[in-house]
Amino acid sequence: MVRGLLRHPLFIIGFIIVFGLLTASFIHATVYDGYIPSLEDQLTKKDDSLLKEGSPPYNPEVMPPMGSDLLGKNLFVFLISGAKYTIGIALIVGFLRVVISLFAGIFYGNYLMRVNKYVASIIDAFHFIPVSLLAYLILNEVLVGKGTLTITFEYSFPERVIFELVILTIIAIPTTSLLIGNQTNLIMNKEFITCVRTLGAGKIRILRKHVIPHLMPKLVINYLEQIVQVLILLVHLGLFHLMFGGTRVVSTSILGDSPPVYDSLTGEWSGIIGESYRQLFLYPWMALFPLMMFAIVILAFNFMQEGVKDALTNPKYRIKGRKKKRRHNQPRQQVSITDESFQAASGNQSM
Amino acid sequence: MNHILVRISSKFIFIAIGIILLGSLTQLFSGIHIDFSAYTASVAEVIKGLLHPAEITYIVKGREYNIFPDLVDNWFYTMRLLFLSLLIALTACTTLTYLTMLLPQKVINVIKFILFSLKSLPDLLVAGILQMGVIWFYQQTEILIFQVANFGDNHSYALPLTALAILPTVLLYRIMILDVETELQQPYVELARSKGMKKRRILFVHIFRNVLISTFLHSKYLMWFLLSNLLVIEYIFSINGMMRFLLFMGSPAILTVGSLMVFVPVFLFFSIFQMMLEKYSAQKVEL
């Protein structure tokens, strides 16, 4: 499957986009030391060419290619540096979701199928409450730090990050586990499993040698799907001013009448959206470019997913000669048959 | 257990239980720690509150208000948006699929790829582009197609409905084309064609009937998609709807009551559909 995938154009395009963004982001962090061109930076160099254009944010013509944010930072470089966080979070949360759901699903598919109808209906409740709403209500208390001059959080930064990762993961566990459980059950009811069982294979062996290999392609597709879900969830949470790792809510006036300024703690993409979407009409590039980056990454993962699906069903990408090749590479053992070998074989049998 | 009414009502009860369990989920976490006793207490309280829904209150700027009848207005608006956009999406994608299938296969493949790419756009980006498009059009021609912002009690429909219906239409449109394509390979299509029936007639009379069933089976996923879409749309257009209310006032009791109020009509709608389909197609349709 893997080698077939590497010949699939859709998969390759998707993979190159994601991989390219990640590499660019890491190169930016290591080689360029995370340097983001900004107004402040120009001012320290006594260069005031930007100031002639007025105060930030600058539009894409003044600061190519994507304009600047509210503080005059170059948006494109900022987005590249944030790519590793956003894609990283999606990859990690998606992976956790699938792995945990795999264990839960296998358990469910093996032991709890009798109550499947009821459990499935209860879990159906997830379809009537938007996930973003649930996630927002749970995370809001922990992630938001308030204040006018000094902003205080109840929990430390690592605690908040871990809590957010955990919540983003478990919020999808019930639905994903149910899905994997049903798929496991489908495989367990296949005829060959009965054969294997009559041949004397134990539960663990059936799982390891038969169920998981059959589940694997579905898990890969599911993983890519979950990544997309996480990215969309991040967009929504960003819109509601919940940024990854915490939001600093800075009240601009002591009376609290004017709307507070929301500040992200990491350079993660969704953090930019919430603040800039409010000013969509004034500075459209500030909201639309981060959203477009999200769209590109989601598209890339969807391409990969479609590539996997196609590579599994389309015979063009199936590799046939693999077994033969391996046989050619291995030197054949010379076996000479003598009377003794017959005796040895029959002797073994009688034992 | 096989009668359809029994199946539907038992499903109804279990989903309702699920919503009650989910509604208190926020209480399961106090800070970053798990607090089971608070969760069970909250569930008990929510159930008690459900028996006397009129006594549930919310607090704005230190003053307490009853959620009823305030919430009913929000609920009506949200329901109208939800069902109208569903209706728009269904009509649009059915017509579009019908027209698409009459085109040559090469064009269909291009359309499929475009739809697949459009599917990846985040709902927020679609809404943003739409908003900017309306403004741009206004600047060019001085014609305001849609009311862009919402003021006070003035309910606007056109822009939120369009923003809400675009992505579900794209999604359904793509699913429907794929469904029609698999249906086209059925032997009865070949028979009809060999009898000399026109493609248009086969599509309209035979294929669409069968495809509607399989499209309907995707509607659960679609509903979920619409609801989370609705949350975003209500937020960015500052619509006084149910979702936005839940977002800002989401105490366990309010979240549960609100979700149940969304769930009941949607469930009834789909149940009626399901009953009609089962009668019509004489087979079990499970949602």
Side-chain angles (χ1 to χ4, degrees):
Chain A
M1 180 183 135
V2 177
R3 283 208 298 177
L5 260 186
L6 291 181
R7 287 191 301 169
H8 199 288
L10 274 182
F11 184 84
I12 293 172
I13 294 172
F15 187 79
I16 286 175
I17 293 174
V18 172
F19 191 74
L21 269 173
L22 277 178
T23 337
S25 188
F26 278 115
I27 287 176
H28 174 255
T30 50
V31 179
Y32 295 98
D33 215 18
Y35 166 73
I36 297 169
S38 67
L39 172 71
E40 226 175 296
D41 178 71
Q42 277 209 353
L43 289 179
T44 50
K45 281 183 199 157
K46 302 256 159 61
D47 176 7
D48 55 355
S49 56
L50 266 179
L51 264 189
K52 280 174 196 152
E53 304 283 345
S55 54
Y58 302 112
N59 61 16
E61 277 166 26
V62 178
M63 204 180 230
M66 287 186 180
S68 82
D69 71 351
L70 276 177
L71 300 170
K73 283 185 200 159
N74 189 320
L75 194 57
F76 177 70
V77 185
F78 194 52
L79 285 175
I80 289 291
S81 85
K84 54 182 178 293
Y85 298 114
T86 309
I87 299 176
I89 294 162
L91 289 175
I92 293 170
V93 173
F95 185 74
L96 288 176
R97 283 180 175 186
V98 172
V99 170
I100 296 173
S101 301
L102 175 66
F103 287 108
I106 284 177
F107 180 77
Y108 181 78
N110 271 309
Y111 298 106
L112 296 174
M113 259 352 220
R114 268 170 302 162
V115 289
N116 182 28
K117 214 154 72 186
Y118 313 112
V119 177
S121 297
I122 290 179
I123 289 178
D124 245 5
F126 273 97
H127 290 276
F128 296 95
I129 306 180
V131 184
S132 333
L133 179 64
L134 264 184
Y136 173 81
L137 291 175
I138 295 172
L139 291 171
N140 194 19
E141 201 186 318
V142 173
L143 288 188
V144 172
K146 285 182 181 165
T148 40
L149 289 171
T150 49
I151 287 102
T152 48
F153 285 101
E154 205 174 327
Y155 299 98
S156 68
F157 182 71
E159 277 176 329
R160 291 195 305 268
V161 167
I162 292 170
F163 183 71
E164 181 159 7
L165 287 177
V166 168
I167 294 295
L168 292 185
T169 305
I170 60 171
I171 215 154
I173 294 287
T175 37
T176 324
S177 303
L178 188 70
L179 191 79
I180 294 179
N182 283 330
Q183 285 166 349
T184 312
N185 189 255
L186 273 184
I187 297 168
M188 289 300 280
N189 285 339
K190 287 251 167 81
E191 225 162 81
F192 71 88
I193 295 288
T194 326
C195 291
V196 173
R197 206 172 275 153
T198 23
L199 285 173
K203 270 223 145 115
I204 303 286
R205 191 186 161 81
I206 293 180
L207 279 183
R208 252 193 34 215
K209 293 276 175 183
H210 301 282
V211 174
I212 292 187
H214 276 87
L215 219 48
M216 215 50 199
K218 288 186 180 111
L219 287 181
V220 173
I221 293 171
N222 206 314
Y223 178 42
L224 294 168
E225 239 165 49
Q226 291 301 329
I227 290 173
V228 173
Q229 300 292 343
V230 176
L231 285 169
I232 289 177
L233 189 55
L234 281 178
V235 174
H236 289 182
L237 289 179
L239 177 70
F240 305 145
H241 302 296
L242 278 192
M243 291 128 195
F244 198 79
T247 309
R248 279 186 295 201
V249 182
V250 189
S251 315
T252 40
S253 76
I254 301 160
L255 290 169
D257 277 350
S258 56
V261 174
Y262 300 92
D263 193 12
S264 167
L265 290 178
T266 53
E268 193 262 325
W269 289 352
S270 65
I272 311 167
I273 291 169
E275 187 58 31
S276 56
Y277 202 88
R278 292 199 304 192
Q279 291 156 0
L280 179 72
F281 295 129
L282 282 176
Y283 318 117
W285 66 88
M286 253 169 40
L288 292 185
F289 280 122
L291 280 172
M292 269 174 203
M293 292 298 270
F294 265 108
I296 290 169
V297 174
I298 291 174
L299 188 68
F301 280 113
N302 275 341
F303 272 165
M304 283 159 83
Q305 192 188 329
E306 205 63 16
V308 174
K309 274 185 198 163
D310 195 39
L312 284 173
T313 49
N314 197 340
K316 212 170 100 188
Y317 301 103
R318 210 170 279 164
I319 288 167
K320 279 171 188 161
R322 206 169 160 189
K323 272 187 183 165
K324 269 185 194 163
K325 260 187 200 163
R326 200 177 271 171
R327 212 177 280 160
H328 276 300
N329 291 339
Q330 283 171 353
R332 278 200 187 161
Q333 257 188 323
Q334 289 287 325
V335 184
S336 55
I337 299 169
T338 56
D339 287 343
E340 282 137 49
S341 57
F342 276 106
Q343 277 168 2
S346 59
N348 274 341
Q349 244 172 21
S350 64
M351 272 163 80
Chain B
M1 272 308 269
N2 273 328
H3 193 273
I4 180 161
L5 281 178
V6 180
R7 270 190 291 139
I8 288 179
S9 45
S10 82
K11 193 156 192 185
F12 180 86
I13 293 167
F14 278 108
I15 297 181
I17 292 174
I19 289 179
I20 292 171
L21 291 177
L22 270 184
S24 298
L25 199 64
T26 45
Q27 298 302 307
L28 186 57
F29 305 96
S30 74
I32 59 170
H33 307 288
I34 289 179
D35 190 348
F36 254 112
S37 56
Y39 176 68
T40 44
S42 168
V43 170
E45 205 165 298
V46 165
I47 294 171
K48 234 183 266 168
L50 282 178
L51 299 174
H52 310 281
E55 284 162 25
I56 301 171
T57 54
Y58 66 97
I59 298 170
V60 179
K61 288 184 182 165
R63 277 193 64 188
E64 237 178 320
Y65 299 92
N66 279 340
I67 58 167
F68 292 109
D70 294 13
L71 204 53
V72 175
D73 197 35
N74 289 14
W75 175 74
F76 255 122
Y77 191 26
T78 296
M79 282 298 117
R80 262 175 287 177
L81 283 182
L82 196 64
F83 280 103
L84 278 177
S85 62
L86 188 67
L87 198 71
I88 293 173
L90 278 174
T91 347
C93 80
T94 320
T95 345
L96 285 172
T97 313
Y98 178 66
L99 294 176
T100 314
M101 291 323 284
L102 298 174
L103 297 169
Q105 187 61 41
K106 263 189 189 164
V107 185
I108 295 180
N109 286 342
V110 173
I111 291 179
K112 260 164 49 184
F113 187 76
I114 293 172
L115 287 177
F116 172 69
S117 311
L118 283 180
K119 195 188 81 167
S120 305
L121 298 182
D123 35 16
L124 193 57
L125 180 61
V126 174
I129 290 175
L130 196 68
Q131 273 179 306
M132 289 315 295
V134 171
I135 296 277
W136 178 82
F137 193 77
Y138 178 67
Q139 282 170 344
Q140 299 293 314
T141 61
E142 302 219 338
I143 302 168
L144 194 60
I145 323 171
F146 300 125
Q147 198 72 37
V148 180
N150 229 1
F151 299 107
D153 291 336
N154 183 17
H155 289 338
S156 76
Y157 284 98
L159 192 60
L161 269 182
T162 323
L164 203 55
I166 288 178
L167 278 179
T169 310
V170 168
L171 226 88
L172 257 190
Y173 185 18
R174 180 162 178 271
I175 289 172
M176 235 175 153
I177 289 182
L178 294 177
D179 281 346
V180 169
E181 279 185 342
T182 40
E183 197 70 22
L184 272 173
Q185 288 160 359
Q186 297 276 339
Y188 74 86
V189 179
E190 213 168 318
L191 177 72
R193 212 175 262 168
S194 64
K195 277 172 73 182
M197 271 168 97
K198 291 239 170 67
K199 195 179 178 186
R200 240 177 297 164
R201 197 178 140 84
I202 302 175
L203 263 179
F204 197 70
V205 180
H206 299 288
I207 290 179
F208 260 76
R209 275 201 271 186
N210 296 330
V211 163
L212 278 181
I213 296 177
S214 56
T215 307
F216 179 67
L217 294 180
H218 292 288
S219 55
K220 193 166 81 176
Y221 172 62
L222 192 80
M223 207 60 223
W224 168 83
F225 187 74
L226 255 179
L227 279 177
S228 88
N229 224 336
L230 190 65
L231 177 70
V232 169
I233 300 290
E234 282 189 5
Y235 184 85
I236 57 173
F237 290 108
S238 330
I239 291 170
N240 282 323
M242 192 76 170
M243 289 295 161
R244 197 154 155 268
F245 189 86
L246 295 182
L247 192 71
F248 292 131
M249 311 290 167
S251 75
I254 293 176
L255 184 61
T256 315
V257 171
S259 308
L260 283 174
M261 280 167 79
V262 174
F263 156 67
V264 171
V266 171
F267 187 83
L268 281 180
F269 173 76
F270 281 115
S271 299
I272 291 169
F273 239 109
Q274 187 184 351
M275 277 197 263
M276 272 161 50
L277 270 184
E278 292 210 354
K279 205 160 187 196
Y280 182 63
S281 65
Q283 57 178 326
K284 253 195 191 177
V285 180
E286 203 55 61
L287 267 179

